[in-house]
């Protein structure tokens, strides 16, 4: 079988991709050992939840990390990309509870121990799905070092973290308002809440003053919580209420006096400027209550129903109570106004239940002391955010940080290592009951039933995965890691906590760079969501187009903007790009069969004297592309790197150089052209490999190469000796004249294969020399039988002309077409087009159409008008050329 036959006629990613992933894995290329002789590059990937399935955000996030890892490995770095998964407390517990519900059971029916066993069984069956999907994407992760946030070593690190903080007085038991899910029966973090605009109401309620001197009206979206009001607050600058501060108002329905206080937190422009204060059911009200020593009354319980403190509404669902309370206020004449009001409502991301801010006794970690070193390392540049605007967001949050609620009322997760002594009531933190008893001296110690917030364990990820609290070789060699690639919505919840824990426990940063990647939206700018029908399934894309096409399509858009718009339509052109690469590689292989290329001894610079202008041009462009791609990867400008590769391979190498090379392959300098074709293709495959690993390996293995895999071949570096700006200028002139001639042929309707004559009038001597040097090439590419380089425009005949940067191009029309017939045809086409344009423009000028038609229809009409206007301008230009 010939070399050419080693690449089938068409590229089939389904046949190529599994083969090479298995090969890389068998060769051990993904694995990194400690090697002090090499410079290191390390990433610990953000651990996906074990409940997860690959979505488009994952595909972008982890593709970026794989690109960086493959690039650095080829540059010679000892590269570790350490994978793992997160136990995802509430998400995983919900999955297993749903499975139990199908059996007619709850977790309480089987008990904690049996339930946790069931979760482990679920994890064994389903927890690795997303990792298999990562393999399909081609990710070169070190699977030998796979970690899980509940594996034995990691669990010990979490216990160590808690106990050290507890013994240092940084963890305490306290009462605060937290996010509570009445369905999941647990406190949840901010990241586990989804917000949506809700068309609700704003109720204006009148509270009588205790001294009978009048009333004060407050506005609220949650009248059911008023039963727990213990104050009314106004802004100290609000002149409307200056005489009321210090007085008491009577709480309607409950008939108890509550004080009117002034507090700067109150927005005087919201509602009436006076707000009810319910310290047990609103975090801001809690802080106001603390400042003014207000009582805390819980009127909504953990199940979402009203408590004993709600009086006559005891036992009623919170929303049923809302309706009943509004009716009672109306009956008593205390409801001043009920207005429609749209506001943001938080729901549990796992079960969609509306979150209840609830006063609850929980475990908290003090943050102020821990936060300062993590603030300093960002301010002094030891940790760099990319884009840098996110450093400001991080610092703003860190400098105003509040204590962290770390307990969750779940069974799946790291159980809080605190034991309470039944004799003295003291709390002891220890890794086991035996150790707790030894610390306290008591017996029958009872462990706290709660588990730790998932983010508490995730905070240790970069260093616990490398063996901390032990002092391992991996920590010494690979830590701190090189970069964290993550989403902007977990800067506060995860990024900040990793920096804080690393500084506290190791006095070291966890990573040098934090790259915040763009959020992937659909083409309409909406959030990707399967339930909303706006999602794109990466696995379906891979099945249809291959992993390489998806990876490149994502990286091509991975700029430093806020978000990117993505759809399947973005992948199809990249599938075409893959086919282009495949076909040009087949062409090169077909023409290498008689070549004698000694890869080890090959030195293109020694052949400089034999190279023609187009050879020098493509080699120069190759060097500049190498520089652009390396700079793109180095600066996290992934999109720039991808675009440089696309432009070079498609537009410069395939469309120009290969076309110019074709006739030369039949001539006496065939060997020179073969060398250049091979060198550029082989170098380009290595350059493209980090983004498109599969197709590049397949092609590279089919052409002369050195080494056993492209994955461990050297990454290209720019060779300044091959940069030739003069050759580029000459070739720019050749390409511009060729494009100009092709455009004129197309616009005049001249058959592609029909030879034409042309005259070019250069605008300078430099351009004249370049065009004269490339005369044969221009004539061949543009199908020009006779190209004249003149000092002035031809006279005495009708010509089509094009004004170019390097001068003017003229093509005589005699013998090419019947000018009068062409004028008549174009005139008729213009008349019909103007009618069509008038219809669409008329619709957009119609106010009723614009006000009633769906936005998509209006946008479609605008595009039609734009396209028709452009076509009209081209027709008019062609008529002008023909003398009309």
């Amino acid at each position: 079988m010939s070399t050419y036959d080693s690449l089938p006629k068409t590229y089939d990613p389904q046949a190529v991709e599994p083969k090479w992933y298995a090969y890389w894995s068998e060769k051990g290329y993904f694995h990194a050992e400690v090697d002090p002789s090499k410079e290191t590059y390390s990433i610990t990937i953000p651990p996906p939840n074990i409940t997860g399935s690959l979505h488009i955000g994952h595909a972008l996030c982890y593709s970026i990390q794989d690109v960086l890892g493959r690039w650095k490995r080829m540059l010679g770095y000892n590269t570790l990309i350490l994978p793992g998964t997160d136990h995802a407390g509430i998400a995983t517990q919900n999955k297993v509870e749903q499975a139990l519900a199908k059996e007619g059971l709850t977790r309480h029916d089987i008990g904690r121990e049996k339930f946790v066993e069931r979760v482990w069984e679920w994890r064994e069956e389903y927890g690795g799905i997303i990792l298999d999907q990562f393999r399909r994407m081609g990710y070169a992760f070190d699977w030998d070092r796979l970690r899980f946030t509940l594996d034995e070593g990691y669990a010990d690190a979490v216990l160590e973290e808690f106990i050290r903080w507890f013994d240092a007085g940084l963890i305490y038991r306290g009462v605060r308002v937290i996010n509570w899910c009445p369905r999941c029966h647990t406190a949840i973090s901010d990241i586990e809440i989804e917000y949506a605009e809700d068309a609700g109401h704003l109720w204006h309620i009148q509270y009588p003053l205790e001294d009978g001197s009048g009333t004060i009206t407050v506005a609220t979206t949650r009248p059911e919580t008023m039963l727990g009001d213990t104050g009314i607050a106004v802004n100290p600058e609000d002149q409307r209420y200056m005489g009321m501060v210090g007085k008491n108002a009577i709480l309607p329905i409950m008939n108890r006096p509550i004080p009117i206080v002034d507090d700067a937190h109150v927005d005087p422009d919201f509602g009436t400027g006076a707000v009810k204060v319910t310290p047990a059911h609103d975090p801001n009200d809690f802080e106001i209550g603390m400042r003014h020593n207000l009582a805390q009354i819980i009127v909504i319980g953990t199940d979402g129903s009203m408590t004993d403190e709600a009086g006559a509404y005891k036992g009623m669902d919170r929303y049923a109570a809302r309706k009943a309370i509004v009716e009672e206020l109306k009956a008593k004449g205390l409801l001043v106004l009920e207005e429609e009001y749209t506001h943001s409502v938080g729901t549990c991301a796992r079960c969609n239940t509306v979150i209840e801010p609830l006063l609850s006794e929980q475990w908290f970690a003090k943050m102020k002391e821990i936060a300062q070193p993590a603030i300093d390392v960002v301010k002094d540049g030891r940790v760099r955010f990319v884009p840098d605007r996110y450093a400001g967001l991080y610092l703003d949050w860190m400098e105003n940080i509040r204590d962290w609620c770390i307990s969750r009322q779940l069974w799946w997760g790291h159980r809080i290592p605190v034991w309470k002594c039944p004799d003295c009531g003291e709390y002891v933190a220890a890794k086991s009951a035996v150790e707790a008893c030894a610390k306290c001296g008591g017996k029958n110690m009872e462990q706290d039933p709660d588990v730790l917030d998932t983010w508490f364990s995730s905070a240790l990820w970069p260093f616990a995965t490398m063996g901390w609290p032990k002092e391992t070789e991996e920590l010494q060699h690979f830590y701190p890691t090189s970069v964290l690639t993550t989403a902007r919505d977990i800067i506060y919840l995860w990024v900040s906590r990793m920096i804080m824990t690393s500084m506290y426990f190791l006095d070291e940063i966890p990573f040098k760079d934090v790259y915040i990647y763009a959020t992937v939206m659909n083409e309409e700018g909406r959030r990707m969501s399967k339930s909303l029908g706006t999602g794109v399934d990466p696995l379906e894309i891979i099945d249809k187009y291959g992993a390489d096409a998806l990876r490149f399509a994502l990286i091509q858009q991975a700029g430093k903007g806020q978000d990117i718009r993505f759809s399947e339509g973005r992948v199809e052109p990249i599938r075409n790009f893959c086919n282009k690469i495949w076909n040009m590689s087949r062409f090169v292989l077909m023409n290498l069969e008689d070549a004698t290329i000694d890869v080890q001894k090959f030195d293109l610079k020694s052949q400089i004297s034999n190279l023609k202008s187009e050879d020098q041009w493509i080699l120069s462009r190759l060097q500049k592309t190498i520089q652009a791609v390396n700079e793109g990867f180095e600066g996290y400008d992934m999109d720039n790197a991808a675009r440089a590769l696309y432009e070079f391979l498609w537009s410069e190498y395939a469309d120009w150089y290969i076309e110019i090379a074709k006739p030369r392959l039949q001539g006496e300098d065939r060997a020179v052209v073969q060398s250049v074709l091979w060198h550029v293709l082989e170098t380009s495959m290595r350059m493209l490999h980090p983004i498109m690993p599969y197709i590049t390996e397949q092609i590279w293995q089919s052409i002369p190469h050195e080494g056993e895999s492209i994955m461990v071949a050297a990454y290209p570096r720019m060779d300044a000796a091959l940069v030739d700006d003069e050759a580029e200028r000459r070739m720019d002139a050749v390409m511009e004249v060729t494009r100009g001639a092709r455009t004129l042929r197309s616009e005049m309707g001249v058959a592609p294969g029909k030879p034409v004559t042309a005259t070019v009038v250069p605008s300078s001597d430099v351009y004249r020399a370049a065009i004269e040097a490339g005369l044969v090439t221009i004539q061949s590419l543009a199908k020009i039988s006779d190209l004249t380089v003149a000092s002035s425009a031809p006279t005495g005949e009708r010509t089509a002309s094009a004004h170019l940067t390097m001068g003017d191009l003229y093509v005589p029309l005699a013998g090419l077409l019947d000018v009068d017939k062409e004028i008549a045809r174009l005139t008729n086409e213009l008349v019909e087009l103007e009618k069509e344009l008038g219809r669409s423009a008329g619709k957009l000028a119609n106010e009723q159409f614009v006000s009633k038609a769906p936005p998509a229809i209006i946008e479609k009409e605008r595009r039609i008008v734009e396209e028709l206007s452009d076509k009209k301008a081209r027709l008019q230009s062609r008529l002008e050329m023909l003398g009309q």
Side-chain angles (χ1 to χ4, degrees):
M1 186 174 70
S2 68
T3 306
Y4 170 57
D5 291 333
S6 68
L7 288 182
K9 188 174 181 180
T10 57
Y11 176 57
D12 179 7
Q14 307 309 327
V16 168
E17 294 177 355
K19 172 182 71 175
W20 288 118
Y21 199 87
Y23 175 78
W24 297 326
S25 184
E26 287 164 11
K27 287 289 186 179
Y29 297 148
F30 302 156
H31 183 62
E33 285 290 345
V34 171
D35 184 354
S37 68
K38 285 186 174 182
E39 190 173 351
T40 62
Y41 186 83
S42 59
I43 294 172
T44 52
I45 74 165
N49 292 348
I50 57 172
T51 58
S53 179
L54 188 71
H55 59 64
I56 207 71
H58 285 138
L60 174 61
C61 172
Y62 298 106
S63 291
I64 289 169
Q65 292 167 88
D66 190 57
V67 167
L68 292 170
R70 286 178 179 272
W71 172 59
K72 285 290 188 178
R73 188 179 291 108
M74 293 176 76
L75 284 173
Y77 287 74
N78 189 22
T79 300
L80 169 65
I81 312 295
L82 192 152
T85 52
D86 193 285
H87 65 279
I90 190 170
T92 308
Q93 178 157 318
N94 273 348
K95 289 283 187 184
V96 179
E97 286 195 73
Q98 289 166 12
L100 284 174
K102 292 177 181 177
E103 302 171 27
L105 298 170
T106 69
R107 61 182 165 120
H108 300 286
D109 294 329
I110 63 174
R112 183 171 192 144
E113 187 176 342
K114 289 290 184 185
F115 179 78
V116 172
E117 286 178 11
R118 286 285 295 262
V119 183
W120 276 106
E121 290 169 6
W122 187 94
R123 183 250 177 180
E124 288 301 311
E125 186 172 356
Y126 301 106
I129 289 175
I130 195 167
L131 301 180
D132 291 336
Q133 293 166 344
F134 282 0
R135 293 179 176 95
R136 284 200 68 190
M137 286 292 295
Y139 298 152
F141 297 163
D142 190 343
W143 300 111
D144 295 339
R145 296 183 182 275
L146 182 67
R147 298 303 303 269
F148 177 50
T149 54
L150 270 175
D151 67 35
E152 186 177 351
Y154 201 100
D156 182 67
V158 175
L159 294 177
E160 187 78 17
E161 172 191 21
F162 185 97
I163 292 166
R164 287 198 198 181
W165 276 0
F166 185 93
D167 291 346
L170 294 172
I171 290 177
Y172 65 94
R173 187 89 169 149
V175 177
R176 286 184 174 273
V177 172
I178 47 86
N179 302 314
W180 182 266
C181 176
R183 152 63 183 79
C184 298
H185 292 282
T186 181
I188 65 173
S189 66
D190 291 342
I191 194 64
E192 293 161 330
I193 299 175
E194 291 185 347
Y195 290 92
E197 293 299 300
D198 179 64
H201 293 87
L202 188 63
W203 286 275
H204 295 245
I205 305 167
Q206 206 171 66
Y207 287 48
L209 297 181
E210 186 181 36
D211 63 6
S213 61
T215 61
I216 185 170
T217 300
V218 303
T220 181
T221 59
R222 305 184 66 216
E224 68 276 14
T225 62
M226 68 177 291
L227 306 181
D229 286 359
T230 55
I232 293 173
V234 298
N235 190 286
E237 304 297 322
D238 196 331
Q239 298 297 319
R240 293 171 294 178
Y241 301 109
M242 296 302 285
M244 295 187 183
V245 174
K247 292 186 176 184
N248 286 340
I250 300 297
L251 176 63
I253 300 176
M254 304 306 288
N255 295 318
R256 64 171 176 264
I258 56 175
I260 300 171
V261 300
D262 58 4
D263 196 281
H265 174 78
V266 178
D267 179 3
D269 296 325
F270 173 77
T272 64
V275 297
K276 55 191 282 307
V277 182
T278 319
H281 293 284
D282 183 280
N284 294 319
D285 288 7
F286 177 82
E287 298 297 336
I288 293 174
M290 293 295 287
R291 287 193 288 271
H292 299 279
N293 198 31
L294 302 179
Q296 301 161 346
I297 301 174
I298 299 172
V299 294
I300 301 174
T302 56
D303 61 354
S305 63
M306 308 305 287
T307 68
D308 291 352
E309 296 287 354
Y313 294 97
K314 171 189 173 183
M316 191 177 290
D317 174 78
R318 53 182 168 163
Y319 295 116
R322 176 183 294 180
K323 291 180 181 178
I325 289 168
V326 168
E327 290 304 315
E328 182 172 348
L329 291 170
K330 284 180 183 177
K332 291 182 174 180
L334 296 175
L335 189 64
V336 178
L337 177 66
E338 179 179 353
E339 59 180 321
E340 292 183 354
Y341 183 73
T342 299
H343 61 125
S344 184
V345 173
T347 59
C348 175
R350 305 303 170 190
C351 68
N352 297 319
T353 303
V354 174
I355 293 302
E356 186 61 49
L358 187 65
L359 190 69
S360 177
E361 187 177 22
Q362 302 282 342
W363 288 101
F364 292 87
K366 297 176 182 178
M367 289 286 100
K368 282 287 184 187
E369 179 183 330
I370 301 170
Q372 192 55 51
I375 291 170
D376 295 340
V377 296
V378 172
K379 284 187 172 180
D380 65 25
R382 277 181 282 170
V383 173
R384 178 178 68 131
F385 277 82
V386 181
D388 60 6
R389 62 179 176 273
Y390 290 111
L393 294 176
Y394 168 89
L395 290 171
D396 182 62
W397 189 77
M398 290 290 285
E399 287 167 348
N400 296 281
I401 199 167
R402 296 194 293 185
D403 289 353
W404 174 15
C405 175
I406 59 174
S407 49
R408 298 292 182 266
Q409 290 63 52
L410 302 170
W411 287 354
W412 173 247
H414 297 272
R415 192 165 176 180
I416 291 177
V418 168
W419 274 259
K420 186 176 182 180
C421 178
D423 300 323
C424 65
E426 287 296 311
Y427 289 110
V428 175
K431 292 185 178 181
S432 67
V434 173
E435 186 180 319
C437 290
K439 279 188 173 183
C440 173
K443 296 180 179 179
N444 303 316
M445 304 288 279
E446 297 175 358
Q447 187 175 1
D448 194 288
D450 292 350
V451 300
L452 288 162
D453 177 14
T454 298
W455 300 103
F456 191 87
S457 53
S458 299
L460 306 179
W461 184 252
F463 52 97
T465 52
M466 295 190 194
W468 185 87
K470 296 176 182 176
E471 294 183 7
T472 64
E473 286 185 322
E474 284 78 8
L475 268 176
Q476 292 175 7
H477 186 62
F478 292 111
Y479 199 80
T481 63
S482 304
V483 62
L484 170 74
T485 301
T486 191
R488 63 178 180 260
D489 57 359
I490 52 176
I491 291 174
Y492 310 145
L493 294 159
W494 191 43
V495 178
S496 65
R497 288 163 180 168
M498 284 188 285
I499 299 174
M500 285 189 281
T501 56
S502 185
M503 292 303 299
Y504 186 89
F505 293 114
L506 285 84
D507 193 26
E508 179 64 272
I509 60 171
F511 25 71
K512 301 177 184 74
D513 291 342
V514 180
Y515 175 54
I516 306 298
Y517 64 87
T519 301
V520 186
M521 317 292 278
N522 72 359
E523 287 288 9
E524 285 74 45
R526 298 175 66 195
R527 180 175 61 88
M528 287 277 188
S529 167
K530 286 184 179 179
S531 61
L532 294 175
T534 58
V536 174
D537 187 341
L539 299 174
E540 291 179 6
I541 296 288
I542 295 172
D543 289 339
K544 193 169 181 180
Y545 302 107
D548 279 344
L550 175 58
R551 288 168 62 116
F552 195 96
L554 287 166
I555 296 297
Q556 189 180 41
Q557 286 191 276
K560 294 175 181 173
Q562 287 285 0
D563 49 56
I564 63 177
R565 298 193 176 192
F566 191 81
S567 68
E568 183 177 329
R570 302 271 182 167
V571 186
E572 191 169 355
I574 308 306
R575 188 268 312 274
N576 298 340
F577 180 48
C578 290
N579 291 338
K580 186 81 169 181
I581 294 169
W582 190 259
N583 291 333
M584 75 185 190
S585 300
R586 278 171 52 82
F587 172 82
V588 173
L589 282 169
M590 180 173 63
N591 286 283
L592 287 182
E593 293 191 348
D594 62 336
T596 54
I597 296 173
D598 187 332
V599 178
Q600 291 183 324
K601 296 180 180 178
F602 183 80
D603 180 15
L604 199 59
K605 289 195 284 290
S606 66
Q607 301 185 39
I608 290 289
S609 60
N610 298 324
L611 300 179
K612 289 192 174 180
S613 184
E614 58 263 30
D615 303 324
Q616 295 163 344
W617 166 74
I618 195 64
L619 293 173
S620 184
R621 291 301 308 137
L622 175 63
Q623 301 315 308
K624 290 186 179 178
T625 303
I626 290 170
Q627 182 180 25
V629 173
N630 276 302
E631 287 176 354
F633 289 159
E634 189 68 50
Y636 303 105
D637 293 306
M638 303 288 174
D639 53 335
N640 291 347
R643 280 194 290 271
L645 283 161
Y646 186 96
E647 180 67 23
F648 175 76
L649 283 166
W650 190 307
S651 300
E652 295 176 333
Y653 183 56
D655 282 358
W656 287 100
Y657 185 74
I658 287 179
E659 290 306 309
I660 296 171
K662 284 178 179 177
R664 291 177 61 200
L665 285 165
Q666 313 306 317
E668 59 185 20
D669 64 347
R670 175 178 173 83
V672 173
V673 178
Q674 286 175 322
S675 295
V676 176
L677 282 170
W678 167 79
H679 174 75
V680 175
L681 179 62
E682 192 276 339
T683 305
S684 296
M685 290 305 97
R686 285 186 283 123
M687 185 164 46
L688 179 61
H689 177 75
I691 306 179
M692 286 182 155
Y694 291 121
I695 192 172
T696 52
E697 182 76 87
Q698 182 68 36
I699 293 169
W700 190 81
Q701 293 284 355
S702 303
I703 60 177
H705 63 270
E706 184 178 9
E708 57 184 29
S709 171
I710 195 173
M711 184 175 165
V712 290
Y715 199 78
R717 295 178 187 267
M718 190 184 79
D719 186 345
L722 291 173
V723 174
D724 191 331
D725 291 331
E726 183 56 38
E728 290 192 41
R729 278 192 290 271
R730 290 195 300 269
M731 191 62 189
D732 284 343
V734 169
M735 291 190 295
E736 189 180 21
V737 175
T738 302
R739 278 192 290 260
R742 286 172 173 174
T743 300
L744 286 178
R745 295 175 66 102
S746 173
E747 289 184 348
M748 292 300 104
V750 178
K754 189 172 184 177
V756 300
T757 61
T759 298
V760 61
V761 181
S763 58
S764 70
D765 290 340
V766 172
Y767 283 130
R768 176 181 292 274
I771 294 165
E772 287 175 344
L775 214 58
V776 174
T777 299
I778 295 169
Q779 291 181 173
S780 173
L781 293 173
K783 300 292 188 294
I784 297 174
S785 57
D786 182 22
L787 179 61
T788 302
V789 182
S791 299
S792 60
T795 58
E797 58 182 335
R798 279 182 168 177
T799 61
S801 63
H803 181 66
L804 310 173
T805 303
M806 43 57 60
D808 294 311
L809 179 67
Y810 301 90
V811 175
L813 297 176
L816 294 180
L817 74 166
D818 185 321
V819 175
D820 293 332
K821 269 189 177 180
E822 182 66 5
I823 289 172
R825 186 186 71 79
L826 292 175
T827 301
N828 289 334
E829 188 177 342
L830 185 60
V831 169
E832 291 303 315
L833 184 145
E834 286 177 333
K835 289 179 184 176
E836 194 177 345
L837 179 58
R839 282 193 294 270
S840 291
K843 285 183 182 179
L844 294 175
N846 185 324
E847 288 186 11
Q848 282 194 327
F849 172 79
V850 173
S851 63
K852 293 180 179 179
I857 298 296
I858 296 171
E859 183 58 32
K860 181 182 177 183
E861 288 298 330
R862 284 186 178 137
R863 283 199 301 270
I864 289 171
V865 168
E866 189 176 318
E867 289 166 7
L868 291 177
S869 298
D870 183 56
K871 189 175 180 182
K872 177 181 175 181
R874 291 200 305 273
L875 285 173
Q876 289 172 330
S877 174
R878 286 165 66 181
L879 282 167
E880 285 173 13
M881 280 186 193
L882 295 172
Q884 286 297 103

